[in-house]
Amino acid sequence: MSPAATVEGVWRALLGRRVAALALGLAAVALLFVIDLGTGPARLSPGEVAAALLGRAFEPTTSAIVWSIRLPMAVLGLLVGAALGLSGAVVQTVLANPLASPYTLGLAGAAGFGAALAIVLDLPLPVAGELRIVLVAFLVALFAAGLLLLLGRLRDGRPEVIVLAGLAILFLFQALLSLLQYLATPEALAQIVFWLFGSLARASWSKNALLAVALSVALPALLRLAWRLSALRLGEERAAALGARPGALRLEALAWVSFLTAAAVAFAGTIGFVGLVAPHLARALVGEDQRFLLPTAALAGAFLLLAASIASRAIVPGSILPIGILTALVGVPFLLGLVLRRPSGSRP
Amino acid sequence: MIRVENLRVVLAGRPVLEGVSLTVEAGEIVALLGPNGAGKSTLLRAVAGLVPSRGRIALGPDGQGCRLAFVPQETAAPRGLSLLEIVLLGRLGRLGFAVGPADLEAAGRALAAVGLEPLAGREAATLSGGQRQMAYLAQALAAEPEAMLLDEPLSALDLRHALEVAELLRRLVRERRLACLLVLHDLNAAARMADRLVLLRDGRILAEGPAASILRPHNLAALYGIEAALLDGPDGAPVVLPLRPLGAGREAA
Ligand SMILES: Nc1ncnc2c1ncn2[C@@H]1O[C@H](COP(=O)(O)OP(=O)(O)OP(=O)(O)O)[C@@H](O)[C@H]1O
Ligand SMILES: [Mg+2]
């Protein structure tokens, strides 16, 4: 065989494996999505769920439960999980740090402070209630992201500078949050604490639509950087030699991630662990080709969050535990599984 | 063509290169020799535009720039990327989101040139050190460059592979009229594969010219602080036999 033919065969096999992994992820997420819709005080079979989704439910209550209660929450879970998984993969790649997550950037702390601010103070804003908390959380997180990128830019987007700046931002806003909590009335304090847990119960179609728009802008933008991000895995000097412009790349990718994380955190509170574990899960499936890693990490994030969401309703029947408590409980077994799997070596 | 004039590089407040000028014509291999820390890698980085420098750097026949491939010294490879992907990344500037047939063809040719084609699907991190070194050479070849900067491209290769890669480079440089600047520590390999040698010491050029006139005991003493014997090689190129470090010269420096 000619070199071109062998290499083409190898390439096809590689692509085939990755597309299969991506399809598997998609199927797993779809399955959990349907199970999620069926879980709750009224248990619905996958068939009933499908019938309700298609508008052919036998009972109107089933249709109401699925469409107006469970579907918005499930979709929010899907979107938040995808946003956090995708962000986590990008952050780990650009910081060359497997322990990094979207929260390494300190934006969750900023969003938490923003939410608390909106709860405690009567800010003169054109929107009221829930959406007002979301808006302030998002704006404060964006402000923190701006600060982070500015600090990063001053030092050519060097990873260690960004990690330290993120840490500084996290501690700054955590201190401000503690201050607010200390000053808050008992009612406001309870509201803040509940917000910080992270929950999908605040889902609504308008929020879902906004998050879906954010995701559908950020994902293609990040995919356009995919080859350069892959080159970054070869190390700073080699990436620069190949023309990936690591400093600028890092800042551009982090700008998108900040935007996504700010939106996810503002809508659902601080849901930890997904952004850390999902990229590892995805990496084990498809390797470091970022064209596949990024979408797979989004799927893995959605998978983990839906799994946590199902668990949050299954563990204590009749009540809904805040999902932020459960993501770690669901994520830890996956992380341990990956840790124990590692020594035998992974295939790309 | 690579032309460097009066190059000066300062790193962390210390001058690393000072008044360096050299030219590598198309179709020519120039070997950069010098002790550890002399500034060889820094010179390549400066030519590749990866460290700030003063002076003039011109690439291409008209000095307007050309496709340049730079292969750094260290050869670590990350987990999760196959050899084929590593080689494809050499074409980063030209890759679309989907890999096209031209990219695969160039990658296939580059892999075949270094004889790593049977390993194309292997995870790069599981390759041996020498194989990784050849993988990164293939990455550079896949870019179809007009000028190449290679930092110690033979350092991890066994005798046969070192000869093969040297031959490959000579052939490519002739056939495609590449300008090739490479750093070597093996003086005998340098004498055989390079058209000219440039000796770099403490960031300055000590001497340059064809191997026969450059590889002289006094130059080797000044460059490395060693005493060396020079033998007549079977093909006319001199053979360097290092004998012992020059104790006094070393301490004085
Ligand atoms: N980023 C840097 N900051 C400060 N000093 C540097 C930096 N990079 C290199 N140097 C210094 O510049 C000098 C030349 O380094 P360089 O890597 O170019 O040497 P070299 O000739 O390639 O050596 P070797 O044969 O060991 O690879 C050394 O003294 C080194 O300490
Ligand atoms: Mg060096």
Side-chain angles (χ1 to χ4, degrees), chain B residues 11-12 14 16 34-42 45 73 152 185:
Chain B
L11 292 176
R14 232 170 43 82
V16 175
N36 297 133
K40 306 179 296 296
S41 297
T42 304
R45 277 187 205 120
Q73 189 170 351
E152 300 186 29
H185 280 304

Side-chain angles (χ1 to χ4, degrees), chain A residues 9-147:
Chain A
V10 168
W11 183 244
R12 272 219 213 91
L14 259 176
L15 280 189
R17 271 215 300 282
R18 281 168 192 177
V19 169
L22 203 56
L24 181 82
L26 206 57
V29 168
L31 181 70
L32 282 196
F33 189 72
V34 171
I35 295 176
D36 185 87
L37 288 178
T39 311
R43 212 162 261 289
L44 303 175
S45 74
E48 286 171 302
V49 169
L53 284 180
L54 296 172
R56 296 206 204 103
F58 292 123
E59 295 171 51
T61 46
T62 310
S63 178
I65 289 173
V66 168
W67 275 97
S68 44
I69 302 175
R70 294 194 187 160
L71 197 57
M73 279 176 65
V75 171
L76 184 63
L78 195 78
L79 293 171
V80 168
L84 292 177
L86 171 63
S87 302
V90 173
V91 170
Q92 289 179 3
T93 296
V94 298
L95 299 184
N97 186 342
L99 291 177
S101 82
Y103 298 155
T104 306
L105 308 178
L107 305 183
F113 168 74
L117 199 66
I119 291 169
V120 170
L121 296 184
D122 193 23
L123 298 167
L125 284 172
V127 287
E130 252 311 299
L131 216 51
R132 173 197 196 93
I133 300 177
V134 169
L135 183 67
V136 178
F138 182 65
L139 290 178
V140 175
L142 275 194
F143 169 77
L147 203 63

